[in-house]
Amino acid sequence: MNFDKQKVGDKNYIVHAPKGSSWGNTDDVLSSWTANHFRFPESKSETDPGFRSAQLGAIFAIKSHWTVSTSAATVVMPTGTGKTEVMIATVVSECRGKTCIVVPSDLLRKQTINRFCSLGKLRDIGAIDDTFCNPIVACVTSSPKDKTELENLLDKSNVVVTTMSLLNSGRFSDEFLKVLSTKCDTLIIDEAHHVPASSWKRVKKSFEEVRCLQFTATPFRNDGKKVDGDIIYNFPLSLAQERGYFKAINFYPIYEFDSDKKDISVAEKAVEILETDISKGFPHLLLVRASTQSRAKMLFENVYQQNYAKHSPVLIVSDNSVIENKEALQSVYDGVSKIIVCVDMFSEGIDIPQLKICAIHDKYKSLPITMQFIGRFARTQVNLGEASVVANIVDDDIQESLEELYSQDADWNKILKDTSDEKVGREVELQKLARGFTGTEVIPLNQIRPKVSMFMYTTTETSWHWQYWSKVFNEDKSHHFVNEQEKILIITELRTSNVDWTTCRDITDDNWNLHILYWDEKKKVFFINTTDKGIADRLAEAVFCSYKRISGEDVFRCLSGINRLMLSTVGLKTAISNHHIRYRMFAGVDVADGITQATTHAATKSNLFGVGFENGISISIGCSYKGTIWAKWVETINYWKSWCDKQAVKILDSTIDTRTVLSGALVPAVIQSRPAVVPYRIDFPLEIEAELRESILLKTTLHDARPFLVDIGLTSFDETSLLSFYVGNEEFREEFTLDINANDYTITHKSGSNIRIVLSRGRETSLTEFFRENPPTIWFVDGSSLEGNLLVKLKNSPPATFAASNITPWDWNGVDIRKESQGVSKESDSIQYKLISELRSHNQYSLIFDDDGSGEVADVIAVLEDDTNAKIIVEFYHCKFSGAAQAGSRVDDLYTVCGQAEKCIKWASNAKALADRLMKRESDRTGKGKPSRYEVGDNKSVFTLKNKLKLYSTEYRVFIVQPGVDSNGITPAMHQVLCSASAYLMDTYGIPLNLICS
């Protein structure tokens, strides 16, 4: 269709596609819309003319919204489902007088103008006929010179198209915005997620009296904030796929750990797909996605132009001139250029159906934006094949929500559908919550995250009257959700209160309270979780005719069964006269006094809080005399229900003596001299141990390393020497001493390098100074541990004899038992080589990893996959050389290796982090030109394991490999060390310790 164009001012203009030779005016156009009948034909197939069901749903949703509201509204439709036609149909069928359309880019502005000038496909599908005039469309490309010019432009147009960047620029004054909002009765924002919240705020204020529609494929802005406006229509991606709006998406993962090769690896695969598709007769194009213009230019020049010039790649970025980008785009339209290198999509909404292959060199780190981007490649069109996406899945630290999308065996068609529906659907439901639970809407169960806490009650009732919740709460300001089968009642309550900083009663504070009641009919108990503790008994009384809250001594039974319970606070009440009660809180080293008073009845326990291990999991637990039981977590209803069940089992167990439980709790004590016990293990302070994001660096004048490449170890193993230890690796090492005296402790530099530690935000200090503030933890053979001058002793001594069933003697013939590591040359007479050979001979391990070296998790890590039981078994092997040429009864042969066996289990709580660590260790080693650490498997195997971890459970086993120990000559001292390590592993994570010896 031919368009006529008239300039208005220097750069702005109006365009029109008149039916005859004359233009007519805006009133003529509007009259033709008003006087004629707009039809809404529905297409039942891709060849059947009419609106798609998604388009009709959106149009009618808008019409419905406008019958009751003038507030801003958001329409969520997946890319490629026809948003532009919905806009045009809405403007024409609703006979809008003057509509302002705001788009994110110049290219999309031109495309929108062309579509509105011809009224898109409305005539082709039979929605309108030739009696409908085409609108006069104004294109605002720059700020007018004055108010008169802008008014003239608007008076001559039915539709105005511009960009948000222009409206929010300093050149477009508030006066101009006022003119625009006064003249227009409708505002449409296209690709609304691209509008920064700061930009939208100014424009929105000007257009607050104007009907506003926002169109987007995702209700989340690029700046991380939500798109304003109620979501009045959400067409799920699952339906778009089901109804054939999109073709299948083929995902091709690349495994390239070498950062110098990752771009060429992605390019090779993408171009291979392009050439294959072209050979099949498909006119497909390849789009190369970069995160920045500099990256795009580098990829264009060094990868695609240099290696694939025959496909005439073009670079389209905003730094190019308008003419350069126009010529590049024309080369694409003409079929000359088959490769487009750009940032993102080089413009939202650009309609090039032949874009079917995408090379993602830099991933999006937002799931909604990824879905929208990929959706453009999956549009259905005759004579085109399926979409293909290529990405290197190992080079970026991406959000957890994207892990599955970029995983090895990802089915993008299913994942995009599921994650899109879940993400957008969640936002729709949250908006329902924000609107105050009007109508019959309820909060989805999976969106409720209560704090893990409860009151527990007993009852003799055989039925509950959950409907009576309304006796306690105002029905007009509350909502309920009940599951009668699971016996769970959830109430959300809006409570309005006066604020305490003013006497003005017109200023109030609105808060939502959450109340949950769960009845375990079999145990004859129920639990209440509430954000208002004072209402718990009233709710209990309303739902049950008879009840009794569990309180007093019985509550403290929840502390039973927690291994290595370390209480951090103890609150006591002491009667000091007939009328007065004194409350005292004990913390830190004073906890011991509190426990003593609590167990001797010198005081009444008020509340306790501590941490420990239960069933192989690290937990926190708190309880009070009045009946509150809590943990420092926020979890799902499912989790809370299960947690309540577990606490009930212990609280109802009358055989549990709480005095015994407390007397076994661990407490720190200040000491004035070093313990007369042999140390055998030392750990970095938690500040370093918990460091998983690589924000900490250890460095000297010549070298530096992340903590995962550095060791900390003891240098003396006896009962009397000054406690000494080292930190280092193959490149640097510093030794320290810890001295305990009557007043305090000191940590001093002994010898070696002067290591400095670089913390987050560039904070830097010497490691010696850091240790003085954050001392490492030293463990002793009796199970006690020391931090600075605070000693924690076990109340229950470990067993005296290490179980014979956990000892396995091997034949070490041909092995030098004084040679521990196989090294990079894989020395066949070493202990480690022998171990790996034995493991390989079983042909059952999917992964065997040589982790030997500074910062190791273990000398050898082996993985078994039990697909039948959906389980992954991880085995840690710790090798140690013998102190002599022959096996014997030397306790010194066990100190270090037992300490290593204990340290490794911190990885038992995070198998994914362990997998990432192995790949980092491999990359660090091969990057130095050394052989791979993989004895069985490779990086791809590790990624497969990471994927299975989403569904599989994990089991851990720990082995000590010390051929210097004679299985027939293990002394009591050796048993003590082995039992101490074994007790630690079992008490914390429930992992057995095994000894492989001679």
Side-chain angles (χ1 to χ4, degrees):
M1 181 175 286
N2 295 320
F3 307 139
D4 294 338
K5 180 177 177 180
Q6 293 180 8
K7 290 188 67 176
V8 180
D10 293 335
K11 295 184 179 180
N12 300 318
Y13 57 89
I14 54 176
V15 293
H16 184 44
K19 289 189 289 185
S21 57
S22 61
W23 271 50
N25 57 48
T26 57
D27 291 337
D28 295 335
V29 173
L30 189 58
S31 295
S32 75
W33 296 355
T34 307
N36 294 294
H37 178 61
F38 192 100
R39 292 175 290 277
F40 298 93
E42 183 175 1
S43 171
K44 301 297 184 182
S45 67
E46 282 301 308
T47 56
D48 185 23
F51 288 105
R52 289 172 167 174
S53 58
Q55 295 171 321
L56 284 178
I59 293 168
F60 293 143
I62 294 168
K63 289 177 176 292
S64 174
H65 176 74
W66 278 351
T67 62
V68 295
S69 176
T70 57
S71 63
T74 299
V75 175
V76 180
M77 297 176 69
T79 302
T81 51
K83 293 195 300 287
T84 306
E85 250 60 49
V86 173
M87 296 178 202
I88 298 171
T90 299
V91 170
V92 177
S93 67
E94 287 290 303
C95 304
R96 305 309 298 165
K98 201 176 300 294
T99 301
C100 177
I101 301 173
V102 181
V103 296
S105 66
D106 291 335
L107 285 171
L108 188 53
R109 178 180 58 201
K110 293 175 184 177
Q111 181 176 300
T112 303
I113 289 170
N114 291 342
R115 298 282 287 277
F116 265 89
C117 273
S118 63
L119 292 182
K121 299 177 181 178
L122 297 188
R123 289 189 178 86
D124 296 339
I125 64 175
I128 62 174
D129 55 29
D130 287 340
T131 59
F132 285 76
C133 293
N134 295 323
I136 301 171
V137 182
C139 179
V140 183
T141 62
S142 66
S143 181
K145 64 181 180 181
D146 53 36
K147 177 181 175 183
T148 302
E149 179 186 317
L150 179 59
E151 289 175 334
N152 183 30
L153 180 71
L154 297 175
D155 289 340
K156 292 181 178 180
S157 59
N158 302 98
V159 176
V160 183
V161 185
T162 187
T163 61
M164 184 61 76
S165 58
L166 174 61
L167 296 185
N168 203 49
S169 68
R171 303 184 305 277
F172 207 89
S173 66
D174 290 341
E175 182 184 30
F176 292 162
L177 269 179
K178 185 176 180 181
V179 170
L180 189 60
S181 60
T182 303
K183 292 278 186 180
C184 295
D185 59 8
T186 309
L187 173 67
I188 294 177
I189 310 290
D190 193 13
E191 306 293 352
H193 62 279
H194 278 278
V195 181
S198 55
S199 301
W200 174 224
K201 186 176 181 180
R202 175 173 178 258
V203 175
K204 180 183 179 181
K205 185 176 181 180
S206 299
F207 281 87
E208 57 188 357
E209 301 299 325
V210 175
R211 289 187 175 182
C212 173
L213 291 175
Q214 299 175 127
F215 288 82
T216 181
T218 167
F220 306 94
R221 301 184 192 277
N222 289 355
D223 58 10
K225 296 181 173 63
K226 298 171 185 174
V227 173
D228 287 352
D230 289 347
I231 298 174
I232 61 169
Y233 185 71
N234 169 37
F235 190 77
L237 184 60
S238 57
L239 281 180
Q241 288 185 327
E242 182 182 311
R243 296 179 184 178
Y245 300 163
F246 299 126
K247 287 193 175 182
I249 304 171
N250 301 308
F251 179 55
Y252 297 90
I254 302 297
Y255 305 89
E256 182 55 72
F257 286 84
D258 189 334
S259 58
D260 295 332
K261 298 178 181 178
K262 63 181 182 180
D263 287 327
I264 193 63
S265 297
V266 171
E268 283 177 353
K269 186 61 181 179
V271 174
E272 175 192 323
I273 296 168
L274 172 67
E275 293 175 346
T276 300
D277 287 0
I278 291 174
S279 69
K280 294 178 180 178
F282 295 124
H284 289 177
L285 301 174
L286 165 61
L287 184 132
V288 178
R289 194 267 170 179
S291 58
T292 63
Q293 293 196 53
S294 60
R295 273 284 288 158
K297 290 175 183 177
M298 187 282 293
L299 290 169
F300 173 73
E301 294 170 359
N302 299 342
V303 178
Y304 289 91
Q305 184 66 30
Q306 181 175 319
N307 299 291
Y308 307 107
K310 65 179 180 179
H311 294 299
S312 302
V314 293
L315 174 69
I316 300 180
V317 292
S318 58
D319 276 356
N320 288 353
S321 68
V322 174
I323 294 176
E324 285 176 319
N325 282 339
K326 185 176 180 180
E327 289 176 347
L329 202 53
Q330 191 60 50
S331 179
V332 173
Y333 288 137
D334 292 342
V336 175
S337 296
K338 295 293 185 181
I339 301 175
I340 305 168
V341 183
C342 63
V343 176
D344 294 339
M345 190 68 187
F346 64 85
S347 181
E348 294 295 335
I350 294 303
D351 191 12
I352 305 178
Q354 293 82 8
L355 280 172
K356 283 292 178 182
I357 307 163
C358 178
I360 302 180
H361 285 261
D362 302 318
K363 301 185 190 77
Y364 284 105
K365 295 191 177 182
S366 160
L367 183 60
I369 306 303
T370 302
M371 293 188 299
Q372 187 206 27
F373 179 71
I374 299 303
R376 297 190 178 280
F377 292 82
R379 298 180 184 184
T380 298
Q381 182 139 336
V382 180
N383 300 324
L384 292 177
E386 296 179 346
S388 299
V389 177
V390 182
N392 183 23
I393 65 174
V394 300
D395 65 340
D396 284 341
D397 176 24
I398 55 177
Q399 295 175 4
E400 185 177 346
S401 61
L402 288 173
E403 282 187 3
E404 187 177 3
L405 197 59
Y406 287 109
S407 65
Q408 174 191 343
D409 299 317
D411 180 351
W412 277 40
N413 303 286
K414 181 179 186 301
I415 295 169
L416 284 173
K417 174 191 73 175
D418 294 346
T419 50
S420 171
D421 295 352
E422 177 189 355
K423 186 81 172 177
V424 179
R426 186 183 305 143
E427 180 58 23
V428 172
E429 294 297 343
L430 286 174
Q431 289 197 358
K432 291 174 184 174
L433 171 62
R435 289 196 292 269
F437 304 102
T438 56
T440 59
E441 301 294 342
V442 295
I443 310 173
L445 194 67
N446 63 359
Q447 290 182 15
I448 297 176
R449 295 289 192 276
K451 291 182 178 179
V452 178
S453 68
M454 57 84 168
F455 292 108
M456 178 175 161
Y457 299 79
T458 58
T459 181
T460 57
E461 301 295 319
T462 57
S463 62
W464 67 330
H465 309 287
W466 65 263
Q467 300 91 339
Y468 293 168
W469 66 267
S470 56
K471 292 183 178 181
V472 181
F473 304 99
N474 184 340
E475 286 189 83
D476 294 334
K477 294 187 176 182
S478 303
H479 207 92
H480 77 280
F481 183 63
V482 65
N483 184 322
E484 293 200 62
Q485 184 175 356
E486 296 289 336
K487 301 293 190 296
I488 298 176
L489 171 67
I490 300 171
I491 302 156
T492 53
E493 171 203 18
L494 176 62
R495 188 176 298 177
T496 302
S497 60
N498 295 316
V499 297
D500 57 9
W501 46 265
T502 178
T503 57
C504 177
R505 300 298 90 182
D506 293 332
I507 298 179
T508 58
D509 190 13
D510 288 349
N511 284 298
W512 282 98
N513 283 325
L514 174 67
H515 315 278
I516 309 169
L517 186 151
Y518 158 51
W519 177 31
D520 186 333
E521 193 173 3
K522 292 181 179 178
K523 291 190 181 76
K524 298 184 181 300
V525 296
F526 64 93
F527 312 86
I528 292 179
N529 176 303
T530 174
T531 51
D532 180 0
K533 294 182 180 179
I535 215 164
D537 286 354
R538 288 175 56 199
L539 178 58
E541 183 179 10
V543 177
F544 294 94
C545 295
S546 67
Y547 69 93
K548 180 183 178 182
R549 186 199 284 192
I550 298 290
S551 60
E553 199 69 22
D554 292 350
V555 176
F556 300 104
R557 292 173 180 166
C558 68
L559 300 173
S560 175
I562 300 175
N563 295 325
R564 303 195 179 224
L565 173 64
M566 175 83 76
L567 292 176
S568 56
T569 58
V570 173
L572 300 179
K573 287 183 177 179
T574 306
I576 57 176
S577 73
N578 291 334
H579 305 287
H580 300 283
I581 297 291
R582 182 174 65 180
Y583 177 82
R584 295 181 64 192
M585 175 67 76
F586 298 87
V589 295
D590 296 330
V591 163
D593 292 337
I595 291 176
T596 299
Q597 293 184 39
T599 55
T600 58
H601 298 297
T604 302
K605 294 185 290 294
S606 174
N607 58 76
L608 307 171
F609 185 82
V611 295
F613 296 86
E614 187 174 29
N615 299 322
I617 300 172
S618 175
I619 67 162
S620 66
I621 187 74
C623 46
S624 77
Y625 190 84
K626 291 184 177 181
T628 311
I629 302 173
W630 73 94
K632 284 191 174 180
W633 303 316
V634 174
E635 269 292 352
T636 61
I637 297 289
N638 267 20
Y639 185 96
W640 175 79
K641 176 178 176 290
S642 176
W643 179 81
C644 288
D645 289 337
K646 291 176 183 176
Q647 305 313 313
V649 170
K650 292 193 280 187
I651 291 171
L652 295 174
D653 186 351
S654 59
T655 65
I656 296 175
D657 184 343
T658 56
R659 288 177 300 172
T660 303
V661 171
L662 288 182
S663 63
L666 306 181
V667 293
V670 177
I671 58 175
Q672 298 180 345
S673 60
R674 68 146 291 176
V677 188
V678 177
Y680 71 104
R681 167 187 162 197
I682 184 169
D683 294 340
F684 276 120
L686 283 178
E687 289 77 6
I688 295 179
E689 286 284 358
E691 193 278 309
L692 297 175
R693 298 186 180 180
E694 299 188 17
S695 58
I696 292 177
L697 187 71
L698 300 175
K699 70 174 190 177
T700 65
T701 306
L702 299 176
H703 305 285
D704 60 57
R706 299 294 178 186
F708 75 91
L709 294 172
V710 178
D711 281 332
I712 183 170
L714 294 166
T715 55
S716 61
F717 301 91
D718 60 53
E719 299 173 347
T720 57
S721 298
L722 199 64
L723 295 170
S724 59
F725 61 96
Y726 73 91
V727 172
N729 58 19
E730 293 84 356
E731 295 175 330
F732 60 85
R733 176 183 171 112
E734 181 175 7
E735 292 194 17
F736 306 85
T737 57
L738 167 64
D739 185 29
I740 300 170
N741 52 52
N743 300 315
D744 203 352
Y745 70 92
T746 58
I747 294 180
T748 56
H749 166 87
K750 181 180 180 182
S751 63
S753 308
N754 287 300
I755 301 175
R756 298 188 66 78
I757 182 169
V758 182
L759 303 162
S760 59
R761 299 180 182 176
R763 260 190 325 125
E764 182 178 327
T765 186
S766 71
L767 192 54
T768 305
E769 289 296 325
F770 177 81
F771 280 151
R772 285 170 182 163
E773 295 293 325
N774 309 278
T777 303
I778 298 175
W779 297 79
F780 298 88
V781 294
D782 64 350
S784 61
S785 61
L786 177 70
E787 286 187 40
N789 61 345
L790 293 180
L791 182 70
V792 177
K793 287 188 175 183
L794 290 184
K795 296 296 180 70
N796 302 313
S797 300
T801 305
F802 188 66
S805 58
N806 289 19
I807 300 174
T808 305
W810 277 9
D811 179 4
W812 294 94
N813 186 40
V815 176
D816 181 353
I817 63 173
R818 290 173 298 183
K819 183 184 293 184
E820 177 182 323
S821 303
Q822 67 172 356
V824 294
S825 59
K826 300 185 186 296
E827 297 178 38
S828 60
D829 61 343
S830 64
I831 299 168
Q832 188 187 21
Y833 185 92
K834 164 74 172 178
L835 168 65
I836 291 172
S837 299
E838 285 288 332
L839 296 178
R840 290 177 65 126
S841 68
H842 295 301
N843 292 320
Q844 58 182 356
Y845 292 95
S846 61
L847 184 75
I848 299 177
F849 190 85
D850 173 3
D851 196 36
D852 179 48
S854 297
E856 67 188 33
V857 175
D859 290 287
V860 176
I861 300 169
V863 176
L864 290 159
E865 296 180 40
D866 182 355
D867 294 320
T868 303
N869 298 304
K871 182 190 295 184
I872 290 175
I873 301 165
V874 182
E875 297 179 345
F876 296 130
Y877 291 88
H878 299 274
C879 303
K880 196 62 183 175
F881 60 86
S882 171
Q886 301 297 322
S889 302
R890 297 172 293 273
V891 68
D892 287 358
D893 281 344
L894 288 174
Y895 288 141
T896 300
V897 73
C898 283
Q900 291 171 341
E902 290 183 21
K903 291 170 74 169
C904 73
I905 64 164
K906 65 182 179 183
W907 297 98
S909 61
N910 194 336
K912 288 185 178 180
L914 173 64
D916 290 335
R917 185 183 180 95
L918 297 188
M919 288 186 287
K920 289 177 183 177
R921 300 269 292 175
E922 167 72 358
S923 178
D924 177 75
R925 186 169 185 178
T926 56
K928 297 175 180 177
K930 296 180 181 179
S932 171
R933 290 184 177 273
Y934 290 107
E935 296 287 344
V936 171
D938 51 24
N939 278 328
K940 188 173 181 179
S941 304
V942 177
F943 265 91
T944 301
L945 287 171
K946 283 187 69 175
N947 289 336
K948 288 187 176 183
L949 287 170
K950 297 166 187 173
L951 299 173
Y952 282 32
S953 63
T954 52
E955 178 183 319
Y956 293 85
R957 300 169 183 171
V958 177
F959 296 82
I960 288 173
V961 184
Q962 173 52 288
V965 172
D966 184 345
S967 59
N968 296 314
I970 300 179
T971 66
M974 297 169 75
H975 275 292
Q976 183 186 33
V977 181
L978 289 167
C979 287
S980 182
S982 178
Y984 181 82
L985 267 59
M986 288 301 297
D987 287 349
T988 53
Y989 291 97
I991 300 173
L993 177 66
N994 299 275
L995 171 65
I996 298 174
C997 57
S998 294

